[in-house]
Amino acid sequence: MSALDKFLAGWSFRSSTPDYEPGDTIEVMVTGEKGGEATARIGDSILRIEGAPDDAVDTRVLVAVETWDGSTHRGTGTYRETVGGSAF
Amino acid sequence: MGAAGGSKTEPRISFYGGKWASTVPLGFFILWAVFQSGVLGIGDTNGLVIGALIGTILGLFFVRGDWKTYADTIFEGMTQRVAATAIVAWLWAGMFAETLQVGGFVEGLIFAADALNVGAATFPAAAFVLCGLLATGIGTGYGATVAFVTLFFPAGVLIGANPVLLFAAILSGAVFGDNLAPVSDTTIVSAVTQDADIGGVVASRFKYAIVAAVPAFIAYLIMGSVLSGASLEGAAALRDTATAPGLVHLISMGVVIATAVAGRHIVEAISWGLVVAVGFNLALGLSSVSDILVFTVTEAGTFTALPFVAVGDTAGVGGSLYAGAIGFFPLIVLTLLIVSMAQIMIRGGGFAAIQEFLLNSVATTVRRAEVTMVLGTAAINGMITINTAAEIAIAPYIARIGEKFNINGYRRANILDANTSALGYIFPWAGGVLVGYQVMVGPNGLGAEYGPEMVVNPIEVVPYVFHGWFLVIVFLVAAVTGFGREYVPDRTSGEVSRA
């Protein structure tokens, strides 16, 4: 990202329910788990993550998005790898 | 990052009355500060020191068991790097600003303002821009406030600008620089605590800063025309003393800004500025050696031939280096006590209790989470006088709450720093306001030199710190509308290269 791009990033009104496309690979913070499966809350959208490690909560992981419902802002994806942790 | 440890470990101090009792020292101090400076209108920093001491003693009586842990926590808080950073910045900035003052910088600015036709009405707007520039360069809003209240403020008041509005405009400039400067201690804290690189953080926060700064500038232009200035006897005579040579200290300031923007440490930047300022003073005859540093003895002797030794009625040390540094001693003591009270609150569990409440009851959607982050940061900074200390205390909550909604580190850092910077310069007990007030009321203060018109009651400036208020409003609007919001998947941060 160029210096100019850094200054111009974020000059927009962003939805509280971001949507993603099947096929996207995204980095997310795992924010909780439900029924033994990791979940990532992105704004008010929810991504269920299959195959994540048991201790994945509060780690940053790469996820391949497989399904996404734009009306409910819910989707599923597959865990790829852990790339970081919480800032605290 | 003292608060980080507090968020992950069990409280080490147990209180009668539970975790909330750990807020007694800081809570008592805030009530004292509001009563003293807000209700009674007494801005004496030494008075706040006594309030902090009594508050710290009061907290002792709520401790269960051995009081030693509580006492140890006082030392733990005082030895945090954040306190030392602020103290060093104040000492250096105080020496620098005082040396420029004895070098006739004020007289030069009065001359320039007359020459450039910057009148009373436009002086506050000009002060906002110039103080913002200096603070962005040297990275310390406190230092910029000291320099501008010492140098620009008297010049503006003598020209006829409203003292309250002018002080508020200087504070607004300090907010701007504290928020945006890459070398600012608050900028660095905001970036490293949110796992974001400093360069990216500065670039991403430019949009918020400019959206608040433009209307603030316009507001100062408008209010500068609406509010009248003080009537100072002898102002005309002082204006006659305005001379151009003192303007050479614009170069001294430029050296500090250029060195700081080039990425040098704040101590190095101000030291170079100090060397240049002393050089100009002596080379151009703007001041004598003894104006900068003097040892006064009561009887003439071998050493009185030296230019920095003088004979006087009372033995002592003086000069701009001495007066500039010593003027901040009361505030330094207060700072140490405040960070120790904050540490007691962290070790006592008061901060953790607030975090639990926020995550479970308030921050239930991303909008509510961001509004909570804005108001939480503002509230903590409203309570804790020294804004960098407040920022460090709240940083773990901003990280945790933001991460629960995958809010990007840049966005979290911007919410954290903007409200930290803004609230650090608005209320009467805020550190930024106090340092400026200290310049007015100190032993060699503006009030003693020019008269009571040069002393502004800190509570009067509250509504006029436009950039501070606008920055908070911008972030509240941004939280509700999503302006500038970025999520973790949007982009990853660069290396956090400067801790």
Side-chain angles (χ1 to χ4, degrees), chain B residues 411-424:
Chain B
R411 172 79 160 183
R412 300 197 310 263
N414 290 335
I415 290 174
L416 175 60
D417 194 41
N419 295 285
T420 293
S421 300
L423 270 295

Side-chain angles (χ1 to χ4, degrees), chain B residues 240-487:
Chain B
D240 290 340
T241 68
T243 52
L247 279 177
V248 75
H249 285 309
L250 284 173
I251 297 173
S252 307
M253 292 174 70
V255 166
V256 175
I257 292 173
T259 315
V261 169
R264 300 297 184 139
H265 193 282
I266 189 66
V267 167
E268 184 181 348
I270 302 181
S271 293
W272 278 120
L274 194 56
V275 168
V276 172
V278 170
F280 278 139
N281 280 4
L282 299 181
L284 301 179
L286 297 171
S287 77
S288 66
V289 171
S290 61
D291 287 333
I292 297 167
L293 181 68
V294 62
F295 298 90
T296 304
V297 294
T298 53
E299 292 180 9
T302 311
F303 294 105
T304 47
L306 294 170
F308 49 85
V309 180
V311 179
D313 294 334
T314 311
V317 182
S320 64
L321 301 181
Y322 175 88
I326 208 169
F328 288 91
F329 285 8
L331 193 65
I332 287 169
V333 176
L334 181 63
T335 303
L336 292 171
L337 289 168
I338 289 170
V339 293
S340 70
M341 289 188 293
Q343 194 68 8
I344 288 165
M345 196 166 153
I346 290 165
R347 292 296 178 223
F351 271 106
I354 292 170
Q355 178 183 315
E356 289 296 312
F357 168 76
L358 292 176
L359 273 177
N360 296 333
S361 309
V362 183
T364 51
T365 67
V366 69
R367 280 199 183 96
R368 293 184 66 161
E370 288 200 333
V371 169
T372 301
M373 290 157 70
V374 172
L375 295 180
T377 308
I380 292 294
N381 276 279
M383 287 198 303
I384 300 178
T385 304
I386 310 302
N387 61 350
T388 315
E391 183 179 37
I392 289 175
I394 192 74
Y397 310 142
I398 299 304
R400 284 294 174 87
I401 293 170
E403 284 176 350
K404 288 296 178 190
F405 294 86
N406 267 283
I407 296 168
N408 195 289
Y410 292 128
R411 172 79 160 183
R412 300 197 310 263
N414 290 335
I415 290 174
L416 175 60
D417 194 41
N419 295 285
T420 293
S421 300
L423 270 295
Y425 296 87
I426 292 179
F427 293 116
W429 55 87
V433 180
L434 287 174
V435 291
Y437 184 73
Q438 190 69 32
V439 174
M440 299 174 191
V441 298
N444 299 306
L446 302 176
E449 187 172 347
Y450 296 100
E453 292 86 354
M454 285 286 181
V455 179
V456 174
N457 185 340
I459 202 161
E460 289 184 58
V461 303
V462 173
Y464 301 112
V465 188
F466 295 129
H467 186 65
W469 286 117
F470 291 170
L471 209 49
V472 175
I473 292 169
V474 162
F475 270 89
L476 277 174
V477 171
V480 172
T481 62
F483 173 70
R485 183 185 297 146
E486 293 181 89
Y487 296 105

